[in-house]
Amino acid sequence: MGKIWAGRTNGTVNKIADDFNSSIRFDSRMYKEDIKGSMAHATMLGATGIIPKSDADKIIDGLETILNDIESGNLKIDFNAEDIHSFVEQTLTERIGDAGRKLHTARSRNDQVALDLRLYLKNEVNEVKLKLKELILTVCDKAQQYKSAVMPGYTHLQRAQPIVFGHHLMAYAMMLLRDIGRLKDAEKRLNISPIGSCALAGTTYDTDRNSEAQMLGLYEPCQNSIDGVSDRDFCIELCSALSLIMLHLSRFSEEIVLWASWEFKFIELSDDYTTGSSIMPQKKNPDMAELVRGKTGRVYGDLMALLTTLKGLPLAYNKDLQEDKESIFDAFDTVNSCLSVFCGMINGMTAKTEKMLLAAKEGFINATDLADYLTKKGVPFRTAYKTCGEIVSHCINSGKTLDQITIEEYKSFCDNFENDLYEAIDLQNCVNMRRSLGGTCTESVEKQIEYVKKSVTAN
Ligand code: ARG
């Protein structure tokens, strides 16, 4: 295929330079969006009389068959072409003759590529939103299953207060719900149509940009042609939203890796989401969680690459902008694969509730409840706090837990202790008493599940 821009030069480019310049290896994935965009453009050109209606119809038919042929495998994309836009236009002209040469009227590859990318990412965003929903619902199911399973909650990775596992899981559901919200917000600025901005300055033809935007399912045309061809904020916003998704998955992964270790043994991952070792026969490794944690760095890298590419770039189009695609595509590919594997991994995860309870019994995680008990008996909290600290120290010295020391021992620390203290420090009670909004009691977890499920279906 020759160059569509041959004219001023004969279009012969040094082979190494030509390969360097070509983007078809990575922009060919936008073939459908390129064709749909061109169909809308041809429709507009025909409807406004910028080109004869009969030519527009020929173009649209030709594009339709190109799309069908690519999808059925009858037409192979030529990787020697400069980019997907040239490939489609040249194939069209080869097939339908001179009418094909009219398609690029009142258009430039600069607004064309900006359009293709927006349309492509629109679908990608939908895919990620769907996967997020699926994962959120899976997390909700697990939370439902473990809404009463007591475990230690941590601060500083030190046992802190008793919680239920379902409550811990729902924290992740909340993060993922915000991730959907961020994507939806970014969509407001993504679904804007740059087509008709042309090279940078608009056009002398009497185009109808509104109808083009409408045909393509976009909200409205952009209001400045220079901005239209040079804006890549949408890539950065999306990549930033994707980075946060990865951050959340990475925190979740880290906990899964910890919980699956012999040191914790709070969970068991299903065999089909773990791997073995080539040398150590006993190993069952949480590779999926580790890989998700590892791939987070990739997506941050994509974000950094995009930010850096755009930084200091003069208006309007510059070839640097071609670099946007590999980064944003990689970020979406990575997030999509991580979300798919995560859903299966969580689905197959079982909690070792006895191990969790055992861990909750050690570490004095009911010490706050003991202090609260005294406070409710009229002791000022700071005094109660100090007394309970001394009792914990006494327990550590005598190798006991808070429920193992006698009422007489308690009374030697403070007169206000009575027999009902044992009820107050019972772990299940400690959890059930945390009834504040968003707290860890089972009913609160149930409410959270309901809230999240409602929000997910409303989205
Ligand atoms: N492959 C190019 C890109 O991805 C398409 C736009 C080319 N425009 C140009 N003026 N050379 O940005």
Side-chain angles (χ1 to χ4, degrees):
M1 270 178 177
K3 296 291 178 226
I4 48 171
W5 43 261
R8 173 176 171 169
T9 71
N10 66 8
T12 341
V13 182
N14 168 282
K15 174 86 179 84
I16 293 172
D18 199 33
D19 289 345
F20 183 70
N21 191 48
S22 167
S23 54
I24 195 141
R25 271 175 303 106
F26 47 86
D27 65 21
S28 59
R29 63 160 89 191
M30 305 192 301
Y31 72 88
K32 196 191 278 175
E33 289 73 21
D34 192 74
I35 293 172
K36 295 270 179 200
S38 289
M39 284 166 123
H41 186 63
T43 306
M44 184 280 290
L45 291 177
T48 50
I50 296 172
I51 66 171
K53 174 90 174 42
S54 53
D55 282 338
D57 289 345
K58 265 196 219 160
I59 293 173
I60 294 161
D61 284 352
L63 289 168
E64 183 96 57
T65 52
I66 291 175
L67 179 58
N68 292 339
D69 288 351
I70 293 177
E71 308 234 285
S72 65
N74 284 339
L75 175 62
K76 294 265 170 287
I77 293 174
D78 177 2
F79 283 87
N80 291 313
E82 184 174 326
D83 52 33
I84 190 63
H85 327 294
S86 326
F87 173 76
V88 171
E89 189 187 322
Q90 286 176 318
T91 308
L92 180 72
T93 303
E94 268 167 28
R95 289 185 173 194
I96 67 166
D98 257 3
R101 302 175 71 83
K102 297 187 179 173
L103 170 62
H104 214 53
T105 315
R107 183 175 81 165
S108 151
R109 275 186 299 165
N110 299 349
D111 56 346
Q112 191 180 353
V113 72
L115 174 72
D116 291 3
L117 190 54
R118 283 174 185 268
L119 293 175
Y120 182 85
L121 295 179
K122 188 172 184 259
N123 286 330
E124 290 287 293
V125 170
N126 279 335
E127 171 109 22
V128 171
K129 281 197 303 185
L130 280 178
K131 288 198 167 133
L132 278 171
K133 280 183 192 181
E134 200 186 329
L135 178 58
I136 290 172
L137 293 176
T138 308
V139 172
C140 283
D141 284 349
K142 284 287 146 187
Q144 176 69 25
Q145 191 180 347
Y146 298 117
K147 62 184 175 186
S148 307
V150 174
M151 70 181 281
Y154 293 81
T155 63
H156 311 271
L157 211 55
Q158 302 284 321
R159 291 174 193 170
Q161 288 182 342
I163 57 169
V164 291
F165 189 40
H167 190 54
H168 196 108
L169 290 173
M170 285 313 288
Y172 285 106
M174 300 297 170
M175 297 176 216
L176 299 169
L177 196 59
R178 287 198 295 278
D179 287 329
I180 293 187
R182 256 182 291 276
L183 289 174
K184 282 175 66 110
D185 190 57
E187 274 178 330
K188 290 184 205 151
R189 290 167 294 277
L190 168 67
N191 295 340
I192 298 294
S193 173
I195 197 72
S197 298
C198 305
L200 77 161
T203 178
T204 53
Y205 295 97
D206 193 12
T207 51
D208 182 357
R209 294 192 57 211
N210 284 307
S211 76
E212 273 184 286
Q214 211 170 17
M215 279 184 265
L216 293 164
L218 299 173
Y219 304 150
E220 58 181 11
C222 67
Q223 298 296 314
N224 179 297
S225 60
I226 297 177
D227 186 42
V229 291
S230 55
D231 170 30
R232 294 293 185 275
D233 291 2
F234 58 96
C235 294
I236 293 174
E237 276 191 68
L238 289 174
C239 203
S240 151
L242 296 181
S243 296
L244 270 169
I245 296 175
M246 290 305 294
L247 183 151
H248 296 149
L249 295 185
S250 176
R251 291 182 84 171
F252 207 165
S253 296
E254 170 65 13
E255 298 213 286
I256 287 169
V257 172
L258 281 176
W259 292 336
S261 70
W262 280 104
E263 282 66 22
F264 278 79
K265 264 289 163 238
F266 282 2
I267 58 161
E268 185 74 38
L269 293 171
S270 63
D271 291 358
D272 53 347
Y273 280 85
T274 49
T275 62
S277 153
S278 58
I279 172 169
M280 298 168 280
Q282 84 285 9
K283 292 300 283 294
K284 183 173 172 186
N285 296 327
D287 288 33
M288 307 308 137
E290 292 168 68
L291 264 177
V292 170
R293 192 176 56 187
K295 283 176 188 292
T296 305
R298 260 180 105 106
V299 177
Y300 292 0
D302 292 327
L303 174 62
M304 212 38 73
L306 284 166
L307 284 165
T308 312
T309 301
L310 268 293
K311 176 189 174 296
L313 207 60
L315 300 177
Y317 179 84
N318 299 272
K319 197 64 179 248
D320 314 44
L321 289 176
Q322 180 165 289
E323 288 293 307
D324 58 1
K325 282 171 279 302
E326 280 170 294
S327 297
I328 194 67
F329 292 163
D330 179 72
F332 270 102
D333 291 349
T334 306
V335 168
N336 266 319
S337 65
C338 288
L339 284 172
S340 300
V341 82
F342 222 87
C343 210
M345 180 175 66
I346 298 298
N347 200 28
M349 174 182 87
T350 46
K352 300 205 162 281
T353 50
E354 333 73 58
K355 275 289 303 201
M356 286 177 167
L357 186 61
L358 214 62
K361 284 183 174 159
E362 293 163 355
F364 306 99
I365 64 177
N366 42 5
T368 314
D369 299 88
L370 190 65
D372 283 343
Y373 166 87
L374 276 187
T375 308
K376 283 174 190 162
K377 298 263 176 188
V379 182
F381 179 76
R382 193 48 67 210
T383 313
Y385 172 94
K386 186 161 185 287
T387 305
C388 294
E390 285 161 7
I391 297 172
V392 167
S393 170
H394 167 74
C395 284
I396 292 170
N397 291 335
S398 50
K400 287 180 180 162
T401 56
L402 286 174
D403 58 340
Q404 287 169 341
I405 58 173
T406 63
I407 185 69
E408 289 72 31
E409 282 173 287
Y410 269 113
K411 278 192 179 296
S412 72
F413 285 95
C414 177
D415 278 345
N416 298 59
F417 280 120
E418 286 169 77
N419 261 322
D420 57 351
L421 81 90
Y422 295 102
E423 227 170 274
I425 60 167
D426 172 82
L427 289 175
Q428 198 70 54
N429 286 341
C430 294
V431 160
N432 290 342
M433 302 281 279
R434 286 189 161 71
R435 314 183 66 82
S436 56
L437 201 157
T440 196
C441 76
T442 300
E443 295 85 81
S444 164
V445 175
E446 281 167 345
K447 275 190 198 141
Q448 293 173 47
I449 296 172
E450 202 183 314
Y451 170 90
V452 168
K453 281 190 170 172
K454 228 191 288 53
S455 310
V456 158
T457 37
N459 261 305

